[in-house]
Amino acid sequence: MSVARRTTTVRRKALAVGAATLALATGLAGCSGSDDAATKGVHGGAGTKKGPAAAPQAVPRLIGDGSTAFTGAQPHQPVWAKLKPGETPPQFVVFSWDGAGEDSQKLFSHFRTVGKKYDAKMTYFLSGVYLLPEDKRELYDPPQHNAGSSDIGFNDTEGIRATVRELRGAWEEGNEVGTHFNGHFCGKEGGVGNWSVEDWKSEINQAKSFVKNWKTNAGLRTEQPLPFDYDKELVGARTPCLEGRNNFVQAAAQMGFRYDTSGVNDQIWPKKDLGLWDLSMQLVPVPGRAFQTLSMDYNFMVNQSPGTTQGDPSQQSYWGDQMRDGLVQAFERSYRGNRAPLIIGNHFESWNGGTYMRAVEETIATVCVQKDVKCVSFRQLADWLDAQDPDVVAKMRTLKVGEAPAAGWKAFLAPQPAAPAGAPATKPATAPATKPAAQD
């Protein structure tokens, strides 16, 4: 048996997508689930260079009890270049996974294979309790809950062994390991939306602890370590149900994180919030419907089969096609428009017969092979953004959803003439306001 099946309460959250369509467009906060959703749920520029591709060092420097180790620079990382004046920016696409454990469905290992096939690096947001055995659950002391509480399942020895194996392989292939925290508490009663900055710091430190001590906690001392120092590897996260973002970002900024992906954005170029890149989920089309929803499998599902993860079998193929086509439409309007990064979130789940997993795989196969497209992890996207001239990123933010530069990229990002001596400096164009995130 592998990752314990998740048993949390599905929480629906409507997104503000326009008063006329609000009742239809309940693009819910991303949660992951397993059974009946009515009662259960979980919830470079063109001149980039290839980074080092060699395997990590043969002799790792073990950390702590040997659950993790420093093995050198992560392999298969791009080395980004600053955009040249007038250069068209790449089209970035980020595929990410909430929870990220290997269970009997073997979806983690499957999508590692998909990523290698299409040269797609991804971000895997690990839930820390997936590395904590059930009989050690009291080691988790969640904020505002009793010790040993969790709204998702703990694990067993074989599940931990399998999850560590996939995490190890994913990192060695160039993917990122982030965090989806631990107990996945949503809603009004002790949910993460009510947590303080100090609560979030405790939750982050415990998530790190479960990664750094899985050998001791699970009694798997002869297993190979995870090949990274998690204190340095962990630079970003997505909160459960997209709740509690304001206080989380404050905690994350104090703890050295580099990005957050817990809010709701339009498809425009990102900006920083308290020093973190805001790489939040995005509103994307729902083909055949008059509203948009979040770019996540869960949100398509709750619009298609409200109240259940296993809806009408005769509709499941259509629902998967609808999600795939919506994501591809979102890709096309960025690719042929403002080139804003496309952010996509998913869960390792077989909701509605696995149709959303098919949709994600077909989307990867469609978009990651196209010219100038780079399917990257969040960390790699943050690296590229940090390598750019801030004024260039700010100027690209002035482009609206799907808006291509009127005179082309060469003119739009052409070098600006130097101001005459003594002339007052001009400020860069002000970016339009981003659609506010749904309130927790």
Side-chain angles (χ1 to χ4, degrees), residues 395-408:
K395 186 167 187 179
M396 293 191 295
R397 273 185 59 79
T398 66
L399 296 170
K400 299 177 182 178
V401 175
E403 179 188 4

Side-chain angles (χ1 to χ4, degrees), residues 206-226:
Q206 291 188 77
K208 289 183 176 181
S209 175
F210 300 144
V211 173
K212 295 189 288 185
N213 294 285
W214 60 268
K215 281 192 175 186
T216 297
N217 292 338
L220 293 170
R221 295 185 178 276
T222 62
E223 295 292 313
Q224 292 297 309
L226 289 169

Side-chain angles (χ1 to χ4, degrees), residues 169-188:
W171 188 88
E172 290 173 345
E173 292 156 5
N175 302 286
E176 177 188 10
V177 179
T179 187
H180 200 43
F181 307 100
N182 301 304
H184 208 287
F185 299 105
C186 300
K188 295 181 180 180

Side-chain angles (χ1 to χ4, degrees), residues 90-109:
Q91 176 61 59
F92 291 104
V93 184
V94 181
F95 292 92
S96 55
W97 302 91
D98 289 3
E102 176 82 338
D103 63 12
S104 58
Q105 301 172 102
K106 301 188 182 303
L107 289 168
F108 196 158
S109 51

Side-chain angles (χ1 to χ4, degrees), residues 27-51:
L28 309 187
C31 296
S32 166
S34 58
D35 297 310
D36 189 337
T39 57
K40 297 181 180 179
V42 265
H43 67 159
T48 58
K49 303 175 183 178
K50 289 290 186 181

Side-chain angles (χ1 to χ4, degrees), residues 81-83 277 384-396 413:
K82 182 180 292 188
L83 284 173
W277 284 107
W384 186 89
L385 289 165
D386 281 336
Q388 305 310 306
D389 184 330
D391 288 345
V392 170
V393 177
K395 186 167 187 179
M396 293 191 295
L413 294 182

Side-chain angles (χ1 to χ4, degrees), residues 411-422:
F412 186 71
L413 294 182
Q416 299 301 308

